[in-house]
Amino acid sequence: MSLALIKSRALAGMDAPEVTVEVHLAGGLPAVSLVGLPDTEVKEARDRVRAALLTGQFEFPNKRVTVNLAPADLPKESGRFDLPIAIGILAASDQIKAATLDQYELAGELSLSGELRPVRGALAMAWRAAQAGRALILPLENAAEAALVQGITILPARNLLEVAAHFNGHATLTPYSGAVLGNEPVYPDLADVRGQAQARRLLEVAACGLHSLLLYGPPGTGKSMLASRLPGLLPPLSEAEALESAAIQSLEGRFDPARFRARPFRSPHHSSSAPALVGGGMIPRPGEISLSHHGVLFLDELPEFDRRVLEALREPLETGQITISRATSRAEFPARFQFVAAMNPCPCGFLGHPKRACRCTPDQVARYRGKLSGPLLDRIDLTMEVGSLSADELQAAPSGEATSTVRARVIAAHARQHARQGKANAHLAAGEVETHCVADDKAKALLRQAIERLGLSARAYHRSLRVARSIADLAGAEVIGAAHVAEAVQYRRGLPGGGP
């Protein structure tokens, strides 16, 4: 036969649309043409495929080879099409049997020796292949993550020769038996934090309702240490949440099956650009906010980030997703992350320190804090100063509660939230706040007084109610009381001399 059709998958955001690799052999001068909107990496497949076929002792057709990646208007990138192109050439030149090709989807990058290298997005491809009812042939390194999808046959292969032998019936590829998943995720223990009882309480409230928080204070007071303990306080990921998180990690080729069900903790450097944080590129790729989906995004030294980068966080903090539009493509990525930030009170870091004198002028402090806009700070639910401890206080401070103890209370509070409203308190819409965050008369009066004195916005009002609801859930209270509102308002006092 002179025409072969092979099924494969591209990547478009979180989706993996079907791509038909059409290979046609015709007379004329020997040449290889790739059409169908291929990226540079795909165009380079001509040389990789030729070398892999010749190394495997196959015959490269001495004809005009035309490879079409359909549909033509869908951008194609990466080396995932190397394997389907090679198998298409072998089928079109009658070097392998083509009778069963329509039962499979193929993806994999080829080395010059014919070895298969892993590709990104195996989980998304497996999901769509399962819906199409086809088996998926992938590099061996991708088999564990692809096998997380239920109801699909994964056929891992080490090289091109194994795939060709499978179609010729010489040696059948063995289906992958199942993903090797890790045990219960291990997180840093909250008991390692000595002292800082108020900050530990703040962390528990944040974990209870999945609230965003900002920690500020002098260097070395434990802000980063506290932030790294937050994922361990959160409830276990559900099956659907774990698959969503794994699928995004797979898009970047960073998924580790041993970390399945572990909540992501991302901490990008303050020199990160806006595309690195929210996603971007000519063909849109997920950024840090999507890679931390169902996990924690920690921004240390918050004012050191470029202001335009920080302002890009405002929309996903509200909506839980990000839309990236380009001239030729548009992609949506989930971004339901818990935002945690840390900062010093001034450029030198020692404003208000009991032992160290601050060298900053009032103008320098104002400019430093002015890098954080009011709208961004208004979207942060909890703010607290983490003070420095003296040597005597540090040595005398007893070990606090372990992560497992605090997590048990958080899980119980989450169960109350999901039984009442089906979601975490931080994710309640404005209309749902009035329905599910019911307060008694004293609590309403206290909140009204706080709005007037602190000048809280409507957004801050709703966020304070959500935090009070989380505090009440931790206490097992059905109705929000004055004590719950008082604690919630205390967390919105903002930075000394600035903030909301």
Side-chain angles (χ1 to χ4, degrees):
M1 61 182 297
S2 61
L3 177 66
L5 305 179
I6 310 294
K7 298 295 184 181
S8 188
R9 296 277 169 185
L11 289 180
M14 290 288 292
D15 195 15
E18 181 179 299
V19 171
T20 302
V21 179
E22 303 172 339
V23 180
H24 181 260
L25 304 183
L29 294 175
V32 178
S33 299
L34 263 73
V35 296
L37 208 58
D39 196 11
T40 302
E41 295 168 315
V42 182
K43 293 178 181 178
E44 293 171 348
R46 291 177 293 192
D47 300 317
R48 290 193 298 268
V49 169
R50 179 189 293 270
L53 290 176
L54 295 177
T55 303
Q57 303 300 308
F58 294 104
E59 177 186 352
F60 195 86
N62 193 26
K63 297 182 178 182
R64 181 171 185 82
V65 180
T66 303
V67 179
N68 179 40
L69 307 177
D73 60 345
L74 178 68
K76 288 78 172 188
E77 48 84 29
S78 84
R80 72 185 67 251
F81 299 106
D82 289 4
L83 179 60
I85 290 173
I87 293 299
I89 291 175
L90 292 178
S93 58
D94 294 325
Q95 297 182 68
I96 65 170
K97 299 176 182 178
T100 60
L101 284 178
D102 59 348
Q103 302 174 15
Y104 300 91
E105 294 186 6
L106 293 83
E109 180 182 334
L110 285 172
S111 69
L112 300 185
S113 63
E115 299 296 318
L116 282 175
R117 291 173 175 163
V119 296
R120 298 182 295 103
L123 199 55
M125 290 189 291
W127 184 271
R128 292 300 302 271
Q131 293 177 332
R134 303 188 189 98
L136 182 60
I137 298 178
L138 283 173
L140 180 61
E141 290 85 349
N142 290 126
E145 63 179 277
L148 294 174
V149 177
Q150 301 295 322
I152 184 173
T153 301
I154 302 296
L155 300 175
R158 294 180 177 84
N159 50 58
L160 177 61
L161 289 175
E162 290 185 357
V163 181
H166 174 79
F167 285 114
N168 281 330
H170 300 322
T172 304
L173 292 174
T174 303
Y176 192 78
S177 57
V180 181
L181 304 179
N183 298 321
E184 183 70 19
V186 178
Y187 301 99
D189 200 329
L190 190 59
D192 299 336
V193 180
R194 302 182 69 87
Q196 305 295 3
Q198 287 184 322
R200 292 166 59 93
R201 168 64 177 178
L202 181 82
L203 215 62
E204 183 175 349
V205 173
C208 171
L210 302 185
H211 300 288
S212 54
L213 70 150
L214 170 63
L215 303 172
Y216 65 93
T221 55
K223 302 184 294 293
S224 300
M225 189 177 186
L226 285 162
S228 65
R229 267 81 185 152
L230 181 57
L233 302 181
L234 300 175
L237 289 173
S238 66
E239 188 74 20
E241 290 173 338
L243 280 173
E244 281 185 6
S245 177
I248 300 174
Q249 305 293 327
S250 175
L251 293 179
E252 286 296 286
R254 300 176 182 177
F255 175 64
D256 180 7
R259 295 283 297 167
F260 186 63
R261 294 187 183 281
R263 291 204 179 251
F265 181 82
R266 308 287 301 183
S267 181
H269 192 260
H270 59 74
S271 61
S272 300
S273 64
L277 201 63
V278 302
M282 291 297 295
I283 298 178
R285 301 270 289 272
E288 294 291 341
I289 63 173
S290 296
L291 293 172
S292 57
H293 183 57
H294 293 314
V296 174
L297 175 67
F298 176 50
L299 300 187
D300 200 5
E301 305 295 344
L302 187 65
E304 300 298 335
F305 283 80
D306 187 271
R307 178 161 181 157
R308 290 174 296 180
V309 173
L310 295 179
E311 294 305 301
L313 293 175
R314 286 161 54 178
E315 179 188 350
L317 277 172
E318 290 287 339
T319 63
Q321 65 178 15
I322 184 72
T323 301
I324 303 171
S325 298
R326 295 294 181 264
T328 59
S329 59
R330 178 178 178 274
E332 292 186 1
F333 297 102
R336 184 65 74 184
F337 59 93
Q338 188 167 4
F339 180 56
V340 182
M343 62 177 288
N344 297 323
C346 66
C348 78
F350 296 105
L351 180 64
H353 195 282
K355 301 292 185 181
R356 303 283 297 272
C358 174
R359 305 187 301 272
C360 305
T361 65
D363 285 344
Q364 289 175 322
V365 175
R367 282 196 301 270
Y368 180 74
R369 295 179 179 173
K371 295 179 181 179
L372 307 178
S373 69
L376 177 63
L377 291 174
D378 205 34
R379 287 169 166 81
I380 298 178
D381 296 334
L382 311 168
T383 305
M384 176 173 285
E385 180 179 8
V386 183
S388 59
L389 300 177
S390 65
D392 293 338
E393 291 173 327
L394 192 60
Q395 293 175 354
S399 298
E401 290 181 302
T403 289
S404 57
T405 304
V406 180
R407 191 188 197 196
R409 295 198 295 266
V410 170
I411 291 175
H414 266 267
R416 297 186 187 99
Q417 295 171 36
H418 282 269
R420 179 179 61 244
Q421 64 217 19
K423 61 177 73 173
N425 291 329
H427 302 158
L428 288 172
E432 296 173 322
V433 171
E434 303 297 336
T435 302
H436 300 294
C437 300
V438 180
D440 61 25
D441 293 338
K442 291 184 178 179
K444 291 179 180 178
L446 181 59
L447 188 57
R448 189 182 308 111
Q449 185 179 11
I451 292 173
E452 294 174 354
R453 291 190 177 182
L454 299 179
L456 298 182
S457 66
R459 180 189 292 115
Y461 164 75
H462 285 126
R463 288 184 177 273
S464 296
L465 264 180
R466 295 186 188 109
V467 173
R469 180 68 268 175
S470 296
I471 296 170
D473 287 333
L474 281 172
E478 293 296 329
V479 178
I480 298 173
H484 308 139
V485 169
E487 184 177 356
V489 171
Q490 176 187 355
Y491 296 142
R492 291 208 65 90
R493 289 181 301 176
L495 302 176

